[in-house]
Amino acid sequence: MHALATDLYPLCRSITGDGLRESLRRLQKLVPLEICEVKSGTQVLDWTVPKEWNIRDAYVADAKGRRVIDFNQLNLHVLNYSVPIREKMPLAALRPHIFTLPDHPDWVPYRTSYYSEAWGFCAAQRVVDALPDGEYDVVIDSTLAPGSLSYGQLVIPGETRDEVLLSCHSCHPALANDNLSGMAVAVALAQQLAAQPRRRFTYRFLFIPGTIGSICWLASHEDVVPRIKHGLVLSCVGDAGGFNYKRSRRGDAPIDRAVAHVLRHMGVPHAITDFVPYGYDERQYCSPGFNLAVGCFMRTPNGKYPEYHTSADNLSLVKPDALEGSLAAVSAVLTVLEGDGCFRNLSPKGEPQLGKRGLYGATGGAAQLPGFEFALLWVLNFSDGSHSLLEIAEKAGMPFAQIRSAADALLAKGLLEAA
Ligand code: ZN
C-alpha cells in the first residue's frame, strides 16, 4: 500500500485531467478497474462537469532565469486548476497570487480554484520572504478546455445484487494521507475481496474526484442506488492517529453499528461522531434525496492534523503499519456485514437440550471457543426473526465472530433457520 502511494505521489491529480487519468491507469495494473469519462458540460444533478484541466509546466523565474518556484519540483506549487499565464511582472504584482502558510514557513499549502478561473502559486513563506524586488517571469503552461472528467469504478460481484459501496477521492496532487492512503487501502481491500471464494454482497469501489465525482456517479446510477445497503468513504487512513468514524446520516444503520462494534472489540483508540454535512463524498451519498447508509472511515480527520492540505502531508506522514491497521479494521467490518442476518429459533419453547446434540460441554471445533455456550444461549434466545446477529453480539457484549460461530453450530444442528 505504501509503495502504491509512493508510485502515485508525483502525479499531478486534480478533479479532471491526465494526472487523474494516469493515476487510475496505474490502479488498473492492480485491479480490473473501469475508467469512466463524463464530458465537460454534462449536467449532473445540480452541477455541470467542468472543463478539463491539464498542466505541463509552471514556474516563477528571477531575472537570472533561476526558477524560484517550480511545479516540477513539487506539484503543489501551482494553484490547482490555474488558467495559463506567461508574463513578466514585478514582485508586487505577483505577490497577491502566491499563497503561503505563515505559521509553517517551510511548508507549501495546497490550494485549488476549480469553479472560478484564476491563476496562482503556492510556496513556502520562507522562500517568498527571501525574494528580492524586481521583475519575474511567471509561467503556467496549462490548458482549461472541453474534455472530460474521469473516475474509476470496480464492481466485484457477489451472490446477491445487494451492494456495499467503498468510495475514495482521487483528486489531490502530492498529498499522501488525505487522498493516497484511501486509494491504497481501497485497492488492497478490493484485491482481498476478489480473492475470497464467496461473497454475499456485490462490492462497488469508486475512485473519484471529490464532490463532482460522486455527483457524476449518483446522477448516472440512480438505478444502482437502491441496491446499496452499506457503504464507507475511506480517507486519511495512513497516519499514526487512532481511528475516527463518522456515522452515516441515518446514524444507526447496520454499517454504523458494525464499525462501532469492530472498533470496540479491536481494543484500539477510536472515536465515533455523528454525521455532519461537510467532509468528503459522504456529503453527496447522504444528501437527503439519497440518504444512503454510508459513513466515513478515517484515522485523523481532515483539518484535524497540522499537515493537512500542505506539503507536509507527504509519504513520511503515512505509515505502512497504519495502512495495515486500517485495512484490517475495514476488512473486519465487511466480515461482520457479510455474516450478519436475522434467524429464527426452531425450538423456542424452553431451551432446547444442547447436551444431547453435542453442543453443550462438547469438545472439538468451534465449541472450544471461550464463551461458546453463552453465545449459543444468546443466539437461541434472541433469534426471533427480528434481532440480527450483530444486535445479539452487542447485547451479549461478545465479538461478532463468536455469535456467528454459535449461529453456524445451531444451523448445522437444525435449531435455527434464516428469517
Ligand atoms: Zn482534501
Side-chain angles (χ1 to χ4, degrees), residues 1-338:
M1 287 183 279
H2 198 274
L4 174 58
T6 304
D7 180 43
L8 297 174
Y9 182 80
L11 297 173
C12 187
R13 278 165 297 279
S14 185
I15 56 170
T16 65
D18 286 332
L20 170 62
R21 210 170 274 123
E22 174 60 19
S23 300
L24 298 173
R25 286 197 191 116
R26 294 201 189 176
L27 300 189
Q28 279 183 321
K29 294 178 186 161
L30 301 167
V31 287
L33 193 73
E34 175 197 5
I35 299 178
C36 309
E37 301 282 349
V38 187
K39 273 196 163 51
S40 304
T42 306
Q43 270 300 126
V44 283
L45 306 181
D46 195 46
W47 294 57
T48 306
V49 174
K51 290 178 192 165
E52 180 175 328
W53 184 67
N54 283 294
I55 180 157
R56 290 157 292 279
D57 196 7
Y59 61 88
V60 172
D62 66 13
K64 291 181 178 142
R66 282 182 306 223
R67 292 185 174 207
V68 292
I69 300 173
D70 187 0
F71 167 78
N72 287 302
Q73 183 241 324
L74 177 71
N75 60 35
L76 296 175
H77 276 312
V78 72
L79 174 73
N80 201 287
Y81 247 72
S82 277
V83 294
I85 182 168
R86 190 176 290 270
E87 266 180 46
K88 215 179 249 305
M89 63 180 76
L91 182 61
L94 170 62
R95 191 62 189 84
H97 292 274
I98 306 179
F99 301 90
T100 60
L101 291 168
D103 292 344
H104 294 284
D106 292 315
W107 296 358
V108 178
Y110 164 55
R111 295 281 185 275
T112 65
S113 184
Y114 300 140
Y115 299 103
S116 66
E117 295 198 356
W119 66 269
F121 289 88
C122 301
Q125 181 75 49
R126 214 180 292 286
V127 167
V128 175
D129 288 347
L131 293 178
D133 281 335
E135 292 278 308
Y136 288 87
D137 272 323
V138 176
V139 173
I140 298 177
D141 180 10
S142 65
T143 44
L144 190 57
S148 62
L149 172 150
S150 319
Y151 68 86
Q153 175 164 244
L154 171 66
V155 178
I156 304 173
E159 289 164 2
T160 68
R161 296 182 80 214
D162 287 349
E163 294 199 5
V164 179
L165 176 72
L166 294 143
S167 176
C168 59
H169 67 295
S170 308
C171 54
H172 289 19
L175 295 172
N177 194 38
D178 176 18
N179 200 161
L180 295 177
S181 69
M183 293 169 72
V185 168
V187 166
L189 197 61
Q191 289 175 323
Q192 216 174 63
L193 285 163
Q196 283 172 8
R198 60 173 293 269
R199 294 165 297 275
R200 178 154 70 111
F201 291 111
T202 292
Y203 289 84
R204 185 180 298 263
F205 287 82
L206 296 178
F207 298 85
I208 49 175
T211 305
I212 188 71
S214 49
I215 285 174
C216 278
W217 186 84
L218 286 163
S220 54
H221 291 80
E222 294 231 24
D223 57 325
V224 175
V225 166
R227 302 207 298 268
I228 295 173
K229 304 302 173 196
H230 317 283
L232 288 175
V233 168
L234 301 176
S235 181
C236 301
V237 286
D239 64 283
F243 292 115
N244 273 276
Y245 176 66
K246 178 177 148 185
R247 292 185 183 100
S248 74
R249 181 175 177 275
R250 298 184 191 181
D252 66 341
I255 185 68
D256 301 319
R257 287 185 275 116
V259 175
H261 178 87
V262 163
L263 293 179
R264 187 159 57 248
H265 285 276
M266 282 177 86
V268 291
H270 67 275
I272 294 178
T273 55
D274 278 331
F275 176 79
V276 288
Y278 39 86
Y280 294 100
D281 289 295
E282 66 277 8
R283 292 153 58 174
Q284 314 310 328
Y285 303 128
C286 297
S287 56
F290 294 109
N291 200 23
L292 291 174
V294 176
C296 182
F297 189 88
M298 297 170 283
R299 281 182 178 273
T300 307
N302 48 304
K304 295 286 164 61
Y305 57 102
E307 300 89 348
Y308 173 75
H309 279 192
T310 77
S311 55
D313 184 348
N314 57 31
L315 292 164
S316 63
L317 187 73
V318 168
K319 309 291 183 201
D321 60 341
L323 292 167
E324 281 293 339
S326 298
L327 176 64
V330 176
S331 179
V333 170
L334 300 185
T335 301
V336 170
L337 297 176
E338 282 279 319

